[in-house]
Amino acid sequence: QLQLQESGPGLVKPSETLSLTCTVSGDSIIRSSYYWGWIRQPPGKGLEWIASVFYSGNTYYNPSLKSRVTISVDTSNNQFSLRLSSVTAADTAVYYCARRTDTNTFDSWGQGTLVTVSS
Amino acid sequence: NFMLTQPHSVSESPGKTVTISCTRSSGSIASNYVHWYQQRPSSSPSIVIYEDNQRPSGVSDRFSGSIDSSSNSASLTISGLKTEDEADYFCQSYDNTNMIFGGGTKLTVL
């Protein structure tokens, strides 16, 4: 059974870089028909797609966040990661990692991790 | 890019049927698949309808999806409402490689 688990600091200072890792178990990240991505949800608000990556390293970014975001994949450890630079309080959110199909469905999600930006 | 607009909230009684709309601001709703997610309180979202009207295995057949080109919108219909259906529902589509979510609809079953 596929499982995704987010990990990383729960508190980040303003202007610093948020770094999260998603560990995938129960499936190989190099399966050719799937992409892997990050979605966030500020407290009490809706969902916002951040970025996606293919096992080959091809990356796709939300245009509104592109200048601050890097997504990468580590096939040897079956993980993918997110870096978001120059964070502000507006980046406080629950961050989810998810698997995305080739018809752009997010069919499996991690439990999410709350990241708070505060000094 | 286009936007997906959903009603902020809907409510209905147990046993009844409710429909949640998702209106695309520009471009044809039929151009790209629409997917629907359910998010119960303190839980991750989960897919309930994919590719406009497909239901994943394990999702109740009380859930159905459709698109309407005349109103340029997609709809999620839940019949025979149960209290366990009370949740937030999000539609999602895409524009090339950009994934777009609707703002979400809070369904109250009372």
Side-chain angles (χ1 to χ4, degrees), chain A residues 86-99:
Chain A
S86 305
V87 297
T88 70
D91 296 310
T92 293
V94 175
Y95 285 76
Y96 296 99
C97 60
R99 186 178 74 174

Side-chain angles (χ1 to χ4, degrees), chain A residues 5-83:
Chain A
Q5 179 66 59
E6 305 88 351
S7 60
L11 181 64
V12 180
K13 289 183 168 57
S15 80
E16 295 191 345
T17 296
L18 177 161
S19 295
L20 296 172
T21 295
C22 182
T23 301
V24 179
S25 58
D27 195 8
S28 172
I29 207 165
I30 65 171
R31 283 186 65 176
S32 61
S33 56
Y34 292 109
Y35 299 74
W36 305 90
W38 291 94
I39 297 128
R40 69 180 182 179
Q41 185 173 34
K45 295 188 178 181
L47 301 168
E48 180 180 34
W49 171 71
I50 302 170
S52 297
V53 64
F54 197 54
Y55 78 93
S56 62
N58 288 356
T59 56
Y60 309 89
Y61 295 106
N62 184 325
S64 68
L65 297 169
K66 185 175 183 177
S67 64
R68 298 195 291 131
V69 175
T70 303
I71 189 172
S72 58
V73 63
D74 178 358
T75 55
S76 61
N77 288 307
N78 224 36
Q79 296 176 329
F80 60 102
S81 298
L82 174 74
R83 289 173 57 86

Side-chain angles (χ1 to χ4, degrees), chain A residues 39 41 45-49 60 62-63 96 100 103-107 109-112, chain B residues 1 33 35 37 39 43-47 50-51 90 92 94 96-99 101 103:
Chain A
I39 297 128
Q41 185 173 34
K45 295 188 178 181
L47 301 168
E48 180 180 34
W49 171 71
Y60 309 89
N62 184 325
Y96 296 99
R100 198 193 94 196
T103 58
N104 298 313
T105 306
F106 293 99
D107 68 344
W109 297 63
Q111 67 182 24
Chain B
N1 285 336
Y33 286 127
H35 317 297
Y37 304 87
Q39 185 179 32
S43 296
S44 305
S46 64
I47 187 77
Y50 68 99
E51 295 175 15
F90 296 90
Q92 178 245 319
Y94 49 96
N96 293 318
T97 59
N98 189 24
M99 306 297 116
F101 285 94

